[in-house]
Coordinates of all heavy atoms in Angstrom, one line a residue:
T260 N 141.3 84.6 163.8 CA 142.4 85.5 164.1 C 141.8 86.8 164.5 O 141.8 87.1 165.7 CB 143.3 85.6 162.8 OG1 142.5 86.0 161.7 CG2 144.0 84.3 162.5
E275 N 137.9 96.6 185.0 CA 137.5 95.8 186.2 C 138.2 94.5 186.2 O 138.6 94.0 187.2 CB 136.0 95.7 186.2 CG 135.3 96.7 187.0 CD 133.8 96.6 187.0 OE1 133.3 95.5 187.2 OE2 133.1 97.6 186.6
E323 N 128.9 82.0 172.0 CA 127.7 82.0 171.3 C 128.0 82.2 169.9 O 128.6 83.2 169.5 CB 126.8 83.1 171.9 CG 125.4 83.1 171.4 CD 124.7 84.4 171.9 OE1 124.2 84.4 173.0 OE2 124.6 85.4 171.1
G338 N 138.5 83.7 191.2 CA 139.7 83.4 192.0 C 140.9 83.5 191.2 O 140.9 83.7 190.0
V340 N 144.0 82.2 189.1 CA 144.3 81.1 188.2 C 145.9 81.1 188.0 O 146.5 82.0 187.6 CB 143.6 81.2 186.8 CG1 144.1 80.2 185.8 CG2 142.1 81.1 187.0
M349 N 141.0 74.8 186.8 CA 140.2 76.0 186.6 C 138.7 75.8 186.8 O 138.0 76.6 187.4 CB 140.4 76.5 185.1 CG 141.8 77.1 184.9 SD 141.8 77.9 183.3 CE 142.1 76.5 182.2
N354 N 135.2 67.8 190.6 CA 134.5 67.0 189.6 C 133.0 67.3 189.4 O 132.2 66.5 189.1 CB 134.7 65.5 189.9 CG 135.2 64.7 188.7 OD1 135.4 65.3 187.6 ND2 135.4 63.4 188.9
V377 N 123.8 68.4 178.3 CA 124.8 68.7 179.4 C 125.6 67.5 179.6 O 125.1 66.4 179.7 CB 124.1 69.1 180.7 CG1 125.1 69.4 181.8 CG2 123.2 70.3 180.5
G382 N 135.5 61.5 182.4 CA 135.3 60.4 181.5 C 134.5 59.2 182.0 O 133.9 59.3 183.1
I423 N 136.9 66.2 162.8 CA 136.7 65.1 161.9 C 135.5 64.2 162.4 O 135.5 63.9 163.6 CB 137.9 64.2 161.8 CG1 139.1 64.9 161.3 CG2 137.7 62.9 161.0 CD1 139.0 65.3 159.8
I456 N 142.1 57.8 159.6 CA 142.0 59.3 159.6 C 142.0 59.9 160.9 O 142.6 61.0 161.2 CB 140.7 59.7 158.7 CG1 141.0 59.2 157.3 CG2 140.5 61.2 158.8 CD1 139.8 59.3 156.4
K461 N 144.8 63.1 165.1 CA 145.3 63.3 166.5 C 146.8 63.5 166.5 O 147.3 64.0 167.5 CB 145.0 62.0 167.3 CG 143.5 61.9 167.7 CD 143.2 60.6 168.4 CE 141.8 60.4 168.6 NZ 141.4 59.0 168.9
E467 N 151.3 73.3 165.4 CA 151.0 73.2 164.0 C 149.7 73.8 163.7 O 149.5 74.5 162.7 CB 151.1 71.7 163.5 CG 152.4 71.1 163.6 CD 152.4 69.6 163.2 OE1 151.6 68.8 163.9 OE2 153.1 69.2 162.3
L469 N 148.1 76.0 165.3 CA 148.2 77.5 165.5 C 149.0 78.2 164.5 O 148.7 79.3 164.0 CB 148.8 77.8 166.9 CG 147.9 77.5 168.1 CD1 148.6 77.7 169.4 CD2 146.6 78.3 168.1
G470 N 150.1 77.6 164.0 CA 151.1 78.2 163.2 C 150.9 78.0 161.7 O 151.4 78.8 160.9
T475 N 148.5 73.9 154.3 CA 149.6 73.1 154.8 C 149.2 72.0 155.8 O 149.7 70.9 155.7 CB 150.6 74.0 155.5 OG1 150.8 75.2 154.7 CG2 151.9 73.4 155.8
E483 N 147.9 61.4 151.7 CA 147.7 60.2 151.0 C 146.2 59.9 150.7 O 145.8 58.9 150.2 CB 148.3 59.0 151.8 CG 149.8 58.9 151.6 CD 150.4 57.7 152.2 OE1 150.1 57.5 153.5 OE2 151.0 56.8 151.6
G494 N 136.2 86.6 155.8 CA 135.7 88.0 155.7 C 134.3 88.1 156.1 O 133.9 87.6 157.2
R506 N 120.1 98.1 174.6 CA 119.5 98.7 175.8 C 118.2 98.1 176.3 O 118.0 98.0 177.5 CB 119.3 100.2 175.5 CG 119.0 101.0 176.7 CD 119.0 102.5 176.4 NE 118.5 103.3 177.5 CZ 119.2 103.7 178.5 NH1 120.5 103.4 178.5 NH2 118.7 104.4 179.5
A549 N 115.1 104.3 185.0 CA 114.9 103.1 185.8 C 113.4 103.0 186.2 O 112.8 101.9 186.1 CB 115.8 103.1 187.0
A550 N 112.8 104.1 186.6 CA 111.4 104.1 187.0 C 110.6 103.7 185.8 O 109.6 103.0 185.9 CB 111.0 105.5 187.5
P565 N 116.9 98.6 168.7 CA 117.2 97.2 169.0 C 118.0 96.6 167.8 O 117.8 97.0 166.7 CB 115.9 96.5 169.2 CG 114.8 97.5 168.8 CD 115.4 98.8 168.6

Side-chain angles (χ1 to χ4, degrees):
T260 52
E275 268 175 52
E323 188 187 278
V340 171
M349 287 189 283
N354 231 356
V377 179
I423 297 292
I456 291 168
K461 284 175 190 161
E467 293 176 304
L469 291 172
T475 312
E483 281 186 306
R506 192 173 170 84

